[in-house]
Amino acid sequence: MDIDPRRLRILHEVSRRGGVMKAAQALHLTPSAVSQQLAQLEREVGLALFDRSQRRVTLTPAGRVLAAYAERIEEQLTEARQELNRFAERLSGPVTIAAFPTVIRHLLVPALRELAVRHPRITPVIHELFGPGAVQELRLGGVDLVVTERDMSRPAASLQSMSRHRLHDDEYRIVAPPSWDRVPATVADLVDLPWVAGVPDQACGQALERLAQLHGFVPRRVHLIAEFPPVLGLVSAGHGVAIVPSLALLDVPPGEVVVTGIRGVGSRRIEALTRVSRTTSGEPDPMQAVVIEVLREAAEAVDRRVGELSRAPLGPPAS
């Protein structure tokens, strides 16, 4: 029995992604090419690996056994590449990073400049992807590292076979329109105001819910927005107040919004997630480690800029 290991990788992808279409997308192949390779694998082993009697193709008992071995082989190959990287004079190859827009703009862009200087043979690949979808892609091997966020008041969720690496704690600020005659100065001033609110499953939406519960009011969520540029655009146009992280304010022109003096709203934690092999420690592989290192350095530079933002005059520029 002569089994082509390349076909085992295709079997592994079909097994863990739950179908030919998703596996083909992950492998950058056509579904017909995947099906042909699987049919050839069945001929090689002399057994049926798939039950095609149902509308949805499923693995046979023999297919499940072979898929389990394929998973082990894939893990061993990944670990072998990691170990060889430790002996290489220069790290090289692609590293795929999933992140959300403010992190891409303020952490990844400067971090990648430094990465190019230190490790020019590493090829970063950036995907704008966040939330459960990004974590799922990390689990499936579609990306190597995920930069994610969570409200600091909430405990870190347990993530099986993954490690967390702290990058930055990003303080929330409350912003108001520059056209308003009276800028909110305390939480009590916010009670009856309209809100440009974050979505409930993201950190800023959770921060507003926590602030409201702590001070006993129901926020009037007029707008529900996920991305910070439209949030700030609506605030600037006079449609309400909002909670945004300091990172989102770094490129906002003076006078676009009023950053209130209300503090103590909390912060979000920005962290990197990496996969953990069943047979190695929780340490990231060398290429992921250097990416985390330059991201942390970029976060330290951001801390200095945020400090300058906090000391800057609040509100619109004088006319």
Side-chain angles (χ1 to χ4, degrees):
M1 186 184 296
D2 188 12
I3 300 175
D4 189 330
R6 292 171 297 182
R7 296 191 180 104
L8 287 180
R9 182 167 186 245
I10 293 174
L11 175 66
H12 174 53
E13 287 293 339
V14 171
S15 173
R16 67 178 179 167
R17 292 184 181 271
V20 168
M21 295 291 291
K22 290 182 178 179
Q25 186 176 18
L27 294 166
H28 306 290
L29 298 172
T30 64
S32 62
V34 169
S35 296
Q36 289 170 15
Q37 291 297 312
L38 294 175
Q40 182 61 34
L41 182 61
E42 287 182 311
R43 286 192 288 272
E44 288 174 350
V45 300
L47 294 167
L49 302 176
F50 296 91
D51 181 356
R52 298 177 174 84
S53 63
Q54 308 294 325
R55 288 188 59 186
R56 185 171 180 270
V57 175
T58 59
L59 290 170
T60 64
R64 289 194 294 272
V65 168
L66 190 57
Y69 278 101
E71 181 179 8
R72 287 190 227 170
I73 292 168
E74 189 69 23
E75 282 197 352
Q76 291 293 327
L77 287 172
T78 299
E79 290 166 18
R81 285 190 289 267
Q82 292 173 4
E83 289 301 313
L84 289 173
N85 276 333
R86 300 181 196 278
F87 294 100
E89 291 183 6
R90 291 186 177 183
L91 299 176
S92 64
V95 57
T96 305
I97 306 160
F100 49 95
T102 51
V103 159
I104 294 172
R105 170 69 185 89
H106 295 293
L107 294 186
L108 268 173
V109 168
L112 295 186
R113 282 197 293 264
E114 186 61 29
L115 185 68
V117 172
R118 298 184 194 176
H119 303 283
R121 296 174 65 182
I122 290 180
T123 308
V125 179
I126 311 303
H127 290 186
E128 184 184 331
L129 187 64
F130 49 90
V135 175
Q136 178 69 358
E137 275 303 299
L138 178 64
R139 184 174 288 114
L140 294 175
V143 298
D144 301 306
L145 184 148
V146 170
V147 183
T148 187
E149 65 164 10
R150 64 180 173 88
D151 184 72
M152 285 286 288
S153 69
R154 300 200 170 199
S158 176
L159 295 172
Q160 187 177 8
S161 301
M162 295 185 194
S163 284
R164 297 178 182 273
H165 312 273
R166 177 188 171 276
L167 299 176
H168 176 61
D169 290 342
D170 195 11
E171 184 185 7
Y172 299 124
R173 303 301 298 270
I174 295 178
V175 294
S179 59
W180 284 5
D181 293 333
R182 186 168 178 269
V183 175
T186 67
V187 175
D189 296 333
L190 302 170
V191 170
D192 296 321
L193 296 179
W195 282 88
V196 182
V199 296
D201 63 345
Q202 292 182 4
C204 285
Q206 294 163 357
L208 175 56
E209 184 63 28
R210 173 172 44 77
L211 184 72
Q213 290 178 356
L214 183 63
H215 293 274
F217 71 97
V218 178
R220 188 153 60 91
R221 297 178 176 88
V222 177
H223 308 283
L224 200 63
I225 309 293
E227 301 291 341
F228 297 128
V231 167
L232 293 165
L234 285 166
V235 172
S236 178
H239 293 286
V241 294
I243 293 175
V244 296
S246 297
L247 211 60
L249 294 170
L250 290 178
D251 289 335
V252 177
E256 188 81 12
V257 297
V258 176
V259 183
T260 73
I262 302 170
R263 307 303 284 266
V265 185
S267 60
R268 64 175 181 170
R269 172 155 290 180
I270 297 174
E271 53 196 4
L273 305 180
T274 56
R275 286 187 303 278
V276 177
S277 169
R278 290 182 292 187
T279 58
T280 60
S281 70
E283 292 300 313
D285 79 23
M287 288 207 295
Q288 294 166 8
V290 297
V291 171
I292 291 170
E293 179 184 0
V294 293
L295 278 170
R296 283 177 173 155
E297 291 174 6
E300 290 174 3
V302 160
D303 279 334
R304 292 191 290 272
R305 291 182 63 194
V306 167
E308 294 168 4
L309 174 72
S310 298
R311 292 189 295 272
L314 302 175
S319 58

